[in-house]
Amino acid sequence: MGLSELAQNISFQGPSFSKTAACLHFSKSLPGLHCSLPAGAFASSTASHSRSLCYPPFFLASSRSHVAFTARRCPPLYDDFIEFAIREVGQSTCLSPFPLQEGLKEVLAEDGKTTLCSNAFQSSKMRLFRIASLDGGENMQVLNLAIFPNLEYDLPIFCADFFSTSTKHIIVLDLNPLYDAEKNKWYKEKYYKGLIPMVNKYTEVLPWGQQLTTESLQFFSPIVIWTKLESRQDVQEKLFSAFKDYIQVWLKMMEGAEATSDSAEVLRNQQAQHRYLLWRATKDPGRPLLHRLFGQAWCEMYIHDFLFNGVTTLGAEKFLDYFPEYSCADGSIRKERSVVGKSCIHRPWDEHGNFTMSL
């Protein structure tokens, strides 16, 4: 079943939906909000837990408003990725819409051709599961998908960041560590030790993409896939295979995770996630593209409120509080992407997951 069919078969019943992002058109002229699922389409249940479907792939729903089901397709190159992620996550946990402002559902860029679709969910263990997809036709396709755990969990952050043109595909796929995996050996042991064979399976077919600033390594795990591909077929086959493995591994972690009741641990997780968000929001390589397509003000809102939601709410610290090495004499943030001046040309972890680079 494709994305359009998914959207056309899904609807919701009830007056209490929060706003969320979607690729469906908004209407206030319908007599009521009513949606139903074909029997067995996505819902599953067990004796102990009902998994009634809570994950429409693309919709906008708001309290006492109505939705007209006129679905549009998101970027063709990454349709299967999006559909797989929503289906797998939705079968593992009950998702509900993540509150977002209406203006984020679907946005046409200033060039009149490029469309940005945004979608977001939450669950008992996930603070935010969000999908951003940019469709610029054959010349540009982008998928940015992330899953942030709730603060009672120290789970890694699922990260898929794919940028494609007609001739090249720049790929980052990882379970980003909440705590630096090289400085915190307990974290590396807890979450990555058993996953090294998985990444070894892909190191030849998805080879290291050469230069990567060393500062970024603190937010990458020993199983990161950073690669550049030239073939669309490699994206649809090799990358898609890795994407499915990584999603399923993260979901298995989530299912086995136990919430901490220690307020000090929750606070540490909150601070670690806020630090991560500040780094990503400040150093986001997609910022120039979003500026050009949507204007500076809208771009900054989107980065802070959607892509890295929590950057303004999880803590009061500023970027330089966490990363003082980027401070200029006048107190501003250095614009260079690297202050160390080193880059990783080769994969800095060996086949056993040991870090081999001297920083």
Side-chain angles (χ1 to χ4, degrees), residues 18-127:
S18 300
K19 293 179 181 179
T20 191
C23 295
L24 296 177
H25 300 289
F26 187 75
S27 169
K28 293 187 177 179
S29 61
L30 298 181
L33 177 63
H34 176 81
C35 304
S36 59
L37 288 170
F42 308 101
S44 62
S45 63
T46 64
S48 60
H49 176 66
S50 174
R51 291 179 178 173
S52 57
L53 181 76
C54 301
Y55 61 107
F58 301 103
F59 71 95
L60 175 81
S62 61
S63 179
R64 303 189 186 281
S65 298
H66 312 292
V67 176
F69 293 101
T70 52
R72 88 176 267 288
R73 288 180 60 80
C74 279
L77 181 59
Y78 294 115
D79 270 3
D80 290 344
F81 292 74
I82 297 170
E83 181 181 338
F84 180 85
I86 292 172
R87 183 175 65 246
E88 290 296 306
V89 176
Q91 288 176 348
S92 296
T93 186
C94 187
L95 297 177
S96 60
F98 188 89
L100 292 171
Q101 64 186 63
E102 180 183 328
L104 295 184
K105 58 175 181 175
E106 178 181 353
V107 183
L108 184 65
E110 293 177 359
D111 64 4
K113 298 179 293 185
T114 307
T115 304
L116 175 64
C117 289
S118 306
N119 204 11
F121 310 97
Q122 58 191 349
S123 77
S124 60
K125 293 186 178 181
M126 296 187 302
R127 185 180 68 83

Side-chain angles (χ1 to χ4, degrees), residues 180-346:
D180 188 322
E182 297 308 320
K183 292 181 179 179
N184 299 277
K185 298 300 182 183
W186 64 270
Y187 195 84
K188 184 176 183 179
E189 181 83 9
K190 181 177 182 178
Y191 287 116
Y192 301 111
K193 182 179 179 180
L195 302 182
I196 301 305
M198 180 179 70
V199 72
N200 288 341
K201 183 171 67 173
Y202 293 107
T203 51
E204 290 190 15
V205 296
L206 299 171
W208 189 254
Q210 297 185 336
Q211 291 189 353
L212 182 71
T213 60
T214 54
E215 287 100 321
S216 301
L217 292 178
Q218 63 186 303
F219 298 105
F220 288 139
S221 79
I223 65 167
V224 62
I225 292 176
W226 149 242
T227 191
K228 297 177 182 178
L229 305 173
E230 296 182 357
S231 164
R232 185 185 179 100
Q233 183 175 357
D234 283 345
V235 171
Q236 294 173 323
E237 296 178 2
K238 297 173 183 177
L239 178 61
F240 189 34
S241 175
F243 179 83
K244 290 188 287 187
D245 281 350
Y246 278 52
I247 280 272
Q248 290 170 334
V249 161
W250 192 91
L251 291 173
K252 186 176 181 181
M253 285 182 181
M254 179 196 71
E255 289 174 356
E258 295 185 3
T260 181
S261 57
D262 187 329
S263 60
E265 289 184 15
V266 173
L267 180 59
R268 282 195 294 271
N269 292 342
Q270 179 175 329
Q271 291 172 334
Q273 197 168 137
H274 186 239
R275 181 176 182 271
Y276 172 93
L277 291 167
L278 266 175
W279 174 271
R280 293 294 308 274
T282 304
K283 294 289 183 177
D284 184 13
R287 177 177 269 102
L289 176 63
L290 291 174
H291 274 190
R292 177 172 60 83
L293 290 173
F294 301 100
Q296 182 174 354
W298 195 94
C299 165
E300 293 302 321
M301 177 278 298
Y302 190 73
I303 288 174
H304 289 85
D305 292 351
F306 181 74
L307 291 180
F308 305 110
N309 179 282
V311 72
T312 59
T313 59
L314 292 185
E317 292 81 1
K318 305 299 182 184
F319 181 83
L320 293 178
D321 294 329
Y322 292 123
F323 310 101
E325 65 273 20
Y326 280 88
S327 178
C328 295
D330 63 359
S332 62
I333 300 172
R334 293 174 61 174
K335 296 185 181 301
E336 299 97 323
R337 288 197 58 77
S338 172
V339 297
V340 175
K342 289 185 178 181
S343 61
C344 304
I345 299 176
H346 305 290

